[in-house]
Amino acid sequence: MRMSDLVAQYITQMLDEQNGSAEIQRNELAGNLGCVPSQINYVITSRFTPEQGYIVESRRGGGGYIRISRVKMDRGTAMMHIINSVGSTLDKATAEVMLNNMLQRNMIELQSAKLIAAALSDRTLSQVEQDKRDTVRADLFKNMLLTIE
């Protein structure tokens, strides 16, 4: 398991145990997990974003902390929030993270996630010009999410 996956899993576990909101001290968490503090920053900025249903607040200085809260919303509202957050382009890695988050929040079934991931893969889009793939991927992703009940 990659370090970023381990950090994300640890934070997600904290959120689950603390009713959807957790305060972490970056240096302390990095020490516990055996990584550098910048790795914690990377995970938070890439996997705990508003588009993925999180609010992140930070306070700097001596006893500073990062507070991560899971936004509570019904499935339909969350789905529309995700669709609206995609924009005009979507890279493969971001699509995978979004699908994984949707799976973890029980917003999508595993079979649907696998089908969407296959449709958005670079292999599937190999006939699309490289500079247009992320635009096509975004359109496909949004339209596929609109069909999921």
Side-chain angles (χ1 to χ4, degrees), residues 10-127:
Y10 187 88
I11 293 171
T12 301
Q13 183 178 349
M14 287 177 67
L15 289 166
D16 291 342
E17 291 171 357
Q18 298 175 24
N19 204 19
S21 184
E23 286 186 12
I24 61 171
Q25 290 191 312
R26 194 174 61 119
N27 291 336
E28 183 179 318
L29 182 57
N32 289 342
L33 296 176
C35 65
V36 294
S38 62
Q39 186 77 37
I40 306 296
N41 284 350
Y42 168 75
V43 170
I44 290 170
T45 58
S46 64
R47 300 194 189 189
F48 296 92
T49 66
E51 295 81 20
Q52 296 161 337
Y54 298 94
I55 296 172
V56 178
E57 306 167 81
S58 64
R59 190 183 87 197
R60 300 201 181 270
Y65 63 85
I66 299 171
R67 178 181 298 131
I68 302 172
S69 302
R70 210 178 264 139
V71 176
K72 294 174 177 79
M73 59 181 87
D74 65 72
R75 184 183 176 279
T77 303
M79 193 68 79
M80 288 312 299
H81 181 72
I82 292 166
I83 291 167
N84 291 329
S85 73
V86 171
S88 61
T89 62
L90 180 67
D91 62 70
K92 181 178 173 273
T94 303
E96 288 173 351
V97 168
M98 293 176 101
L99 283 171
N100 284 330
N101 285 335
M102 292 169 65
L103 271 171
Q104 289 175 356
R105 297 174 73 193
N106 295 316
M107 294 176 59
I108 189 171
E109 298 292 326
L110 179 60
Q111 188 64 26
S112 296
K114 286 181 178 182
L115 288 171
I116 293 171
L120 301 180
S121 72
D122 284 335
R123 183 177 183 184
T124 301
L125 299 174
S126 65
Q127 297 300 309

